[in-house]
Amino acid sequence: MADSTHDTSRIMDGARTSLAVNRTGGYHRGSIGAGSARLKKEHAAAKLKRIFIAIATIVVAAMGFGLFVSALGFEGLFITVLLAVVAVWVLSRYPKIKAPKAATLSRGDLQQNVAKTELWLEHQRPALPAPAVTLVDQIGVQLDGLGVQLQGLDENTPAAVSVRNLVTRDLPEVVSSYTKIPRHLRSQESAGSTPDSQVTESLKSISREIDTVTRQLAEGDLDALAVRTRYLDYKYGSAMDETPALPPPGAPDPALPPVSPAPKALGETDSLTPEYSPKEN
């Protein structure tokens, strides 16, 4: 009876987890980050290239057969089209993109490390509880932000080594330690906590650490932005607050240069000045 009760509880826990995941969009909701999305696009582009090469090969072979061997006829044309359709169907389905192995995540530069870790995490989502799936999606966004800060970072600096260890070692170890546990034991309480809760809390810690590292790497940019803001406020802010009032109507505009009177023509007299005539002797 105890075993039956335990099985019922486990089934109900699994049902609640499945319901929560489906409410949030299911396990297959696309890429968790820009890095994994880029790897998928590259894989799709390689597939498309192979399809074009296969179709071109079939067409050239059919044309060569028709020119140098024998006319294709209806049957030959049908076989050519059939081969092209089969090639498109097979090459569009295979090879499927594979999740990188955890042992290979540290290979390549930091940008590749981040992208491969995102792709690896996507393939681990079906094995994680619903709260952990939400955290994985959040970590994917954080890894995108981290990747931006890694641009131009020297690979041999202590900061780069720390980031690589965090992304390619610590994060995968947390998830792998959980997925190695049999499914029926993941919701059982042990030492005051369940594996489901433990992996969720561990992913929260990883998320906070990624955010901290990203902020530390961005401190230089943040400081530069603050200095620039103070400079602009000093240069333009005070001047805008002390805008002079407009001059009254009819008054000369102080922003314009003074207008000098036009020179008088030779023999021209001022109409307001009485004309001088010498007295006759």
Side-chain angles (χ1 to χ4, degrees), residues 47-99:
K47 274 187 176 182
L48 191 61
K49 182 179 179 180
R50 286 191 290 268
I51 289 174
F52 283 146
I53 293 175
I55 293 177
T57 303
I58 293 172
V59 171
V60 170
M63 292 175 61
F65 184 87
L67 290 175
F68 300 105
V69 179
S70 175
L72 289 177
F74 176 78
E75 293 181 356
L77 183 61
F78 176 78
I79 293 175
T80 301
V81 174
L82 181 62
L83 288 175
V85 171
V86 171
V88 171
W89 185 83
V90 172
L91 295 178
S92 62
R93 294 176 60 88
Y94 303 99
K96 295 183 178 180
I97 188 170
K98 296 181 179 179

Side-chain angles (χ1 to χ4, degrees), residues 149 214-227:
Q149 297 301 323
T214 304
R215 290 180 178 274
Q216 290 176 350
L217 292 174
E219 279 183 356
D221 296 333
L222 293 174
D223 292 342
L225 178 61
V227 171

Side-chain angles (χ1 to χ4, degrees), residues 173-202:
E173 283 181 355
V174 168
V175 178
S176 298
S177 298
Y178 172 81
T179 55
K180 291 178 181 178
I181 301 174
R183 288 184 177 273
H184 67 281
L185 298 178
R186 295 175 184 175
S187 59
Q188 292 186 8
E189 185 173 347
S190 176
S193 180
T194 63
D196 289 344
S197 301
Q198 292 171 1
V199 70
T200 301
E201 292 301 321
S202 297

Side-chain angles (χ1 to χ4, degrees), residues 131-198:
V133 171
T134 303
L135 284 171
V136 165
D137 294 339
Q138 176 182 329
I139 289 174
V141 177
Q142 291 177 312
L143 288 176
D144 285 342
L146 179 61
V148 173
Q149 297 301 323
L150 293 176
Q151 295 177 0
L153 183 65
D154 188 358
E155 299 277 341
N156 298 320
T157 59
V161 175
S162 176
V163 169
R164 179 177 282 110
N165 291 337
L166 174 64
V167 173
T168 65
R169 185 191 64 188
D170 299 339
L171 176 57
E173 283 181 355
V174 168
V175 178
S176 298
S177 298
Y178 172 81
T179 55
K180 291 178 181 178
I181 301 174
R183 288 184 177 273
H184 67 281
L185 298 178
R186 295 175 184 175
S187 59
Q188 292 186 8
E189 185 173 347
S190 176
S193 180
T194 63
D196 289 344
S197 301
Q198 292 171 1

Side-chain angles (χ1 to χ4, degrees), residues 229-252:
T229 302
R230 289 195 296 269
Y231 168 75
L232 293 176
D233 182 67
Y234 171 78
K235 184 175 181 180
Y236 298 107
S238 300
M240 294 299 293
D241 295 338
E242 299 175 0
T243 303
L246 294 175

